[in-house]
Amino acid sequence: MTVSELAGAAWRKSSRSGAGNDCVEIALAHTGASVRDSKNPEAGMLRFDTAGWATFLVATKR
């Protein structure tokens, strides 16, 4: 996912997040996904290409 794709990205929190601001947010694109800390979105993000995102999800579900 490139920086230009993030310019108009719709960031969303998990439906399992609580009422607080202590979770991660994701933005999806056809080239991958990005993840950031909802408490500090300006601090940076993890960017994944499509294959990397799939690998990340599999590992997270374990």
Side-chain angles (χ1 to χ4, degrees):
M1 180 172 240
T2 65
V3 173
S4 62
E5 288 177 302
L6 290 173
W11 290 92
R12 66 179 181 89
K13 293 181 187 178
S14 168
S15 59
R16 296 183 180 193
S17 296
N21 198 24
D22 55 352
C23 56
V24 296
E25 298 174 314
I26 65 166
L28 301 174
H30 22 305
T31 58
S34 290
V35 181
R36 69 182 183 187
D37 183 350
S38 63
K39 292 185 304 286
N40 194 2
E42 301 302 321
M45 67 200 77
L46 296 173
R47 288 186 265 177
F48 299 91
D49 62 14
T50 303
W53 181 242
T55 301
F56 175 77
L57 291 177
V58 168
T60 303
K61 290 177 183 178
R62 286 187 193 152

